[in-house]
Amino acid sequence: KEQPKKEQPKKEQPKKEKKEKKAPPPKKEKKEPTAEEKRAKQVKDAKKEGGKKAVDIAGAAEMTLGMEFFCTTLEKSEGDIELLQMAMDAMNVEVEPDAEERKGGSGHIGKMIFSASNDQLAVVAHVPKELVEKINCKEWVESVVAFINEPDATEVLPGICETKGAFVVKGKPGITF
């Protein structure tokens, strides 16, 4: 018969000293961007969005074989007419063939772009010189703005020529577009 094993007394192991946890290093407080820095970021975002959207528009025009006019929205401009015009300018630049990322390239297409905020809708249009005989830019934009049916809220900005249109539709209290 086997004899029961004798239990050996457990050796007391020395208790490990708990290391004091070091406090995490203080987090650097993020500095609030200045108004100039915020605007610079808005400008950069609007131009980037315009340039990328233009690549899509140019691609759609190539696939449809004959698309000459296009309407779309841009979000980054947030209803700011100046940012929307910068986005339009970015849409119309020639594509750099050796650029890492394609931007622009839709200058040959008539475009109307919209951007809205809670207070206003901004509309910018471009008609290339080759298409001026088919459509008058100012009349095109005015017909769209008239469709909104807010003539008292429409502000036509100065500097409209036959190939560019820039309009702002300002919201009225209690009216949603």
Side-chain angles (χ1 to χ4, degrees), residues 14-166:
K15 291 184 179 178
K16 293 182 182 176
E17 291 181 29
K18 292 183 179 178
K19 292 182 181 177
E20 288 184 32
K21 291 184 180 179
K22 292 182 181 178
K27 292 182 180 178
K28 294 180 182 177
E29 291 183 29
K30 290 186 178 180
K31 191 175 98 177
E32 188 67 29
T34 64
E36 292 85 20
E37 291 169 333
K38 287 180 183 177
R39 185 63 177 183
K41 182 175 179 356
Q42 289 175 321
V43 167
K44 179 182 173 186
D45 290 347
K47 287 180 177 181
K48 182 177 181 179
E49 183 182 31
K52 287 186 172 218
K53 187 74 83 164
V55 172
D56 296 342
I57 293 170
E62 287 175 16
M63 289 191 298
T64 59
L65 301 174
M67 181 179 78
E68 297 176 310
F69 299 94
F70 195 87
C71 295
T72 191
T73 60
L74 297 179
E75 295 177 12
K76 300 292 182 180
S77 300
E78 299 177 347
D80 184 318
I81 195 76
E82 290 177 4
L83 291 175
L84 196 59
Q85 184 62 59
M86 289 178 200
M88 178 65 83
D89 293 342
M91 294 173 103
N92 293 333
V93 298
E94 292 293 323
V95 176
E96 296 176 26
D98 57 343
E100 187 175 312
E101 191 175 5
R102 289 189 59 185
K103 292 180 186 169
S106 69
H108 63 288
I109 300 167
K111 294 174 292 302
M112 187 177 305
I113 54 177
F114 305 87
S115 180
S117 69
N118 290 336
D119 300 323
Q120 67 184 26
L121 169 69
V123 181
V124 173
H126 163 79
V127 176
K129 290 181 182 175
E130 307 85 59
L131 298 176
V132 170
E133 290 180 17
K134 290 186 176 187
I135 193 167
N136 177 291
C137 186
K138 184 176 179 184
E139 290 173 6
W140 183 27
V141 175
E142 286 175 338
S143 68
V144 171
V145 171
F147 181 75
I148 297 169
N149 200 21
E150 286 299 323
D152 295 337
T154 304
E155 175 188 344
V156 179
L157 300 179
I160 294 174
C161 67
E162 63 184 47
T163 61
K164 287 187 181 179

